[in-house]
Amino acid sequence: LSPWNKYLWFTFLEAMGLETLLQKIPGGPRVQVFVGTALILGISAIPVFSNPKQKKGHDLFSQDKPEAVEQFEDERRKQFREIRNESQNQKNQQ
């Protein structure tokens, strides 16, 4: 690690109060950085995996649309198809 990266990393950890905890880990600064990174990634993943019963699209990092939005869009598509089919039928009858 470059001195600048090490400084930024340990400043961030110091602000979070994790620096003293990570300094107790045996190993060099690279091991401490690895453990700190793994902790932060693990903590940030808790909301994603904490509630398996949560509806699709309502969690923190979801890329999916909420179910209510999908149902609304499906209804709109059906209405559009019905209107389009009716207008084509009227053109065919004339």
Side-chain angles (χ1 to χ4, degrees), residues 37-91:
T37 303
L39 278 172
I40 290 173
L41 289 174
I43 289 170
S44 65
I46 288 173
V48 175
F49 299 107
S50 64
N51 191 0
K53 295 180 182 178
Q54 194 167 21
K55 292 181 180 179
K56 177 175 91 167
H58 290 276
D59 57 347
L60 196 58
F61 300 106
S62 180
Q63 296 282 330
D64 300 325
K65 293 180 186 176
E67 291 177 16
V69 173
E70 285 187 355
Q71 289 174 354
F72 176 75
E73 288 178 350
D74 288 341
E75 290 174 12
R76 295 285 276 191
R77 278 190 219 109
K78 287 178 185 177
Q79 289 175 354
F80 176 75
R81 282 188 215 123
E82 289 174 2
I83 293 171
R84 186 180 62 195
N85 289 339
E86 287 176 6
S87 66
Q88 286 178 350
N89 288 341
Q90 288 176 356
K91 287 181 183 178

